[in-house]
Protein backbone atom coordinates (compact mmCIF):
# COMPACT_ATOMS: atom_id res chain seq x y z
CA UNK A 1 0.00 0.00 0.00
CA UNK A 2 1.38 3.39 -0.92
CA UNK A 3 1.76 6.39 1.36
CA UNK A 4 -0.11 9.51 0.32
CA UNK A 5 2.44 12.16 -0.63
CA UNK A 6 0.86 14.66 1.77
CA UNK A 7 1.60 12.26 4.64
CA UNK A 8 5.35 11.96 4.01
CA UNK A 9 7.19 13.03 7.16
CA UNK A 10 10.04 15.21 5.89
CA UNK A 11 8.91 18.49 4.27
CA UNK A 12 11.77 18.62 1.74
CA UNK A 13 11.23 15.01 0.67
CA UNK A 14 7.46 15.56 0.49
CA UNK A 15 8.07 18.59 -1.78
CA UNK A 16 10.54 16.54 -3.88
CA UNK A 17 7.99 13.78 -4.53
CA UNK A 18 5.27 16.37 -5.19
CA UNK A 19 7.47 18.18 -7.75
CA UNK A 20 8.48 14.93 -9.47
CA UNK A 21 4.88 13.73 -9.76
CA UNK A 22 3.66 17.14 -10.98
CA UNK A 23 6.56 17.33 -13.49
CA UNK A 24 7.26 20.77 -12.00
CA UNK A 25 10.88 21.49 -12.87
CA UNK A 26 10.88 24.94 -11.25
CA UNK A 27 9.56 23.60 -7.93
CA UNK A 28 12.05 20.74 -8.09
CA UNK A 29 15.02 23.04 -8.67
CA UNK A 30 13.86 25.35 -5.88
CA UNK A 31 14.25 22.42 -3.43
CA UNK A 32 17.93 21.93 -4.21
CA UNK A 33 20.75 23.63 -2.35
CA UNK A 34 23.42 25.33 -4.49
CA UNK A 35 25.86 22.67 -5.67
CA UNK A 36 23.47 19.80 -4.89
CA UNK A 37 24.57 16.37 -6.09
CA UNK A 38 23.01 13.00 -6.76
CA UNK A 39 23.95 9.43 -7.48
CA UNK A 40 22.19 6.53 -9.15
CA UNK A 41 23.03 2.95 -8.14
CA UNK A 42 26.12 4.24 -6.34
CA UNK A 43 27.57 6.26 -9.23
CA UNK A 44 27.65 10.05 -9.19
CA UNK A 45 25.62 11.59 -12.00
CA UNK A 46 25.25 15.05 -13.48
CA UNK A 47 22.16 16.21 -11.61
CA UNK A 48 20.70 18.40 -14.39
CA UNK A 49 21.24 15.81 -17.12
CA UNK A 50 19.93 12.93 -15.01
CA UNK A 51 16.80 14.72 -13.80
CA UNK A 52 15.97 15.94 -17.30
CA UNK A 53 16.37 12.44 -18.76
CA UNK A 54 14.97 10.30 -15.92
CA UNK A 55 12.27 12.59 -14.52
CA UNK A 56 11.11 15.49 -16.65
CA UNK A 57 11.41 14.46 -20.30
CA UNK A 58 10.31 10.90 -19.51
CA UNK A 59 7.36 11.71 -17.20
CA UNK A 60 8.79 10.25 -14.00
CA UNK A 61 6.40 9.30 -11.20
CA UNK A 62 6.92 8.03 -7.65
CA UNK A 63 4.50 5.94 -5.57
CA UNK A 64 6.04 5.68 -2.10
CA UNK A 65 5.65 2.32 -0.35
CA UNK A 66 7.39 3.22 2.90
CA UNK A 67 9.69 5.69 4.57
CA UNK A 68 12.35 5.51 7.26
CA UNK A 69 15.08 7.65 8.83
CA UNK A 70 12.66 10.44 9.67
CA UNK A 71 11.23 10.43 6.17
CA UNK A 72 14.60 10.86 4.46
CA UNK A 73 14.75 7.31 3.10
CA UNK A 74 12.05 5.94 0.81
CA UNK A 75 11.14 2.75 -0.97
CA UNK A 76 9.04 3.63 -3.99
CA UNK A 77 7.70 2.27 -7.22
CA UNK A 78 9.21 4.63 -9.78
CA UNK A 79 8.07 4.74 -13.37
CA UNK A 80 8.95 6.71 -16.45
CA UNK A 81 8.44 6.41 -20.19
CA UNK A 82 11.98 5.06 -20.74
CA UNK A 83 12.26 2.23 -18.21
CA UNK A 84 8.67 1.48 -17.18
CA UNK A 85 8.14 0.72 -13.48
CA UNK A 86 10.72 -0.49 -10.99
CA UNK A 87 11.07 -0.75 -7.23
CA UNK A 88 13.56 1.88 -6.11
CA UNK A 89 15.19 3.21 -2.98
CA UNK A 90 15.84 6.89 -2.35
CA UNK A 91 17.80 8.66 0.38
CA UNK A 92 18.12 12.37 0.95
CA UNK A 93 20.51 14.70 2.72
CA UNK A 94 18.82 17.94 3.72
CA UNK A 95 20.58 21.03 5.09
CA UNK A 96 19.44 23.11 8.06
CA UNK A 97 17.55 25.42 5.70
CA UNK A 98 15.42 22.58 4.34
CA UNK A 99 17.22 22.33 0.98
CA UNK A 100 18.28 18.99 -0.48
CA UNK A 101 22.07 18.83 -0.79
CA UNK A 102 22.28 15.26 -2.09
CA UNK A 103 20.00 12.43 -3.08
CA UNK A 104 20.77 8.84 -3.91
CA UNK A 105 18.52 6.52 -5.88
CA UNK A 106 18.79 3.02 -7.21
CA UNK A 107 16.98 -0.23 -7.59
CA UNK A 108 15.70 -1.70 -4.35
Amino acid sequence: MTIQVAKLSDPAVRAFVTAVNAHDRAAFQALLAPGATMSDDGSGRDLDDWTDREIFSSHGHMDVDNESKGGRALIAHYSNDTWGEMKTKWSFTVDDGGKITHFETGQA
Side-chain angles (χ1 to χ4, degrees):
M1 176 171 250
T2 60
I3 300 172
Q4 293 177 6
V5 176
K7 294 190 177 194
L8 293 173
S9 300
D10 187 274
V13 174
R14 183 171 54 244
F16 180 98
V17 175
T18 299
V20 167
N21 289 351
H23 308 119
D24 188 339
R25 189 184 305 257
F28 181 89
Q29 291 176 334
L31 298 167
L32 303 175
T37 59
M38 64 88 49
S39 53
D40 183 358
D41 282 326
S43 297
R45 305 285 188 208
D46 178 276
L47 189 141
D48 292 332
D49 177 62
W50 189 92
T51 56
D52 180 60
R53 187 179 65 255
E54 300 292 339
I55 297 174
F56 297 108
S57 66
S58 62
H59 307 102
H61 185 86
M62 298 174 75
D63 289 316
V64 178
D65 291 334
N66 66 59
E67 64 176 2
S68 60
K69 298 184 181 178
R72 292 190 179 171
L74 307 176
I75 298 295
H77 281 87
Y78 186 78
S79 61
N80 66 24
D81 293 344
T82 304
W83 304 108
E85 183 177 312
M86 65 191 88
K87 190 173 184 178
T88 56
K89 59 185 176 183
W90 299 76
S91 64
F92 299 87
T93 305
V94 180
D95 68 16
D96 291 339
K99 298 285 186 179
I100 296 169
T101 59
H102 180 80
F103 69 91
E104 162 82 27
T105 188
Q107 293 193 38

